[in-house]
Amino acid sequence: MLTHTLLVASMISISYATARAETVDGDRIRVIDGDTVELAAERIRLVEPDAPEITKPRCNTELDKGLLASGRLRQLLKGPVSIERSGRTDRYGRTLASLVGLQGNLALILIREGLAIPYKPGHEAYRRRAAHWCPE
């Protein structure tokens, strides 16, 4: 009986996780900036990184780095991409999700390549991000 219960529980867990993930052709995903994309009418914020801003950059250096991050994200979106939604949204109503492509988790690639940093919430973290992207 215990084995049957565990089997049913794991099947429910797997189907729940699968329902939150969706694989699409990366060409269908439009890059907004280095940590935000759009699929159809859904805005998706990558949960792991903070990329430099391009819409309202705090300095020219941030804009330059933001354009590099956006361009690299476009490159990484080639082929099939799994969208792993967290089930949450941010304060702007964007879906929070991870994107996994042929090379792995796209956000972690951007972080590893220095085009994004790990996201941390709060005012102090915001100040540190600003100083990171605009050190001058």
Side-chain angles (χ1 to χ4, degrees):
M1 183 66 172
L2 180 60
T3 304
H4 176 68
T5 304
L6 290 174
L7 179 60
V8 171
S10 66
M11 288 173 61
I12 291 169
S13 172
I14 289 169
S15 66
Y16 179 72
T18 306
R20 300 190 103 134
E22 171 187 11
T23 300
V24 300
D25 184 328
D27 289 338
R28 293 182 50 209
I29 300 172
R30 184 171 74 92
V31 173
I32 307 298
D33 63 24
D35 55 31
T36 306
V37 298
E38 188 172 66
L39 176 64
E42 179 185 24
R43 287 266 170 130
I44 299 170
R45 168 66 161 86
L46 282 66
V47 294
E48 303 90 353
D50 180 63
E53 297 298 326
I54 59 174
T55 304
K56 294 181 181 177
R58 293 165 278 220
C59 65
N60 288 334
T61 303
E62 181 175 31
L63 175 60
D64 293 343
K65 291 178 180 179
L67 293 171
L68 288 172
S70 299
R72 180 64 173 133
L73 183 55
R74 268 186 213 89
Q75 291 174 342
L76 293 169
L77 286 170
K78 300 298 178 200
V81 175
S82 176
I83 303 169
E84 300 174 357
R85 292 172 177 85
S86 69
R88 299 176 294 131
T89 57
D90 69 3
R91 65 183 177 165
Y92 303 108
R94 298 176 295 187
T95 299
L96 296 173
S98 295
L99 300 181
V100 180
L102 295 173
Q103 298 178 34
N105 182 303
L106 305 187
L108 298 181
I109 293 169
L110 293 174
I111 291 169
R112 185 175 62 241
E113 294 178 358
L115 298 170
I117 57 176
Y119 177 79
K120 293 182 181 145
H123 295 294
E124 180 59 25
Y126 175 83
R127 189 190 64 69
R128 287 186 182 151
R129 287 192 304 273
H132 179 83
W133 299 123
C134 298
E136 63 272 347

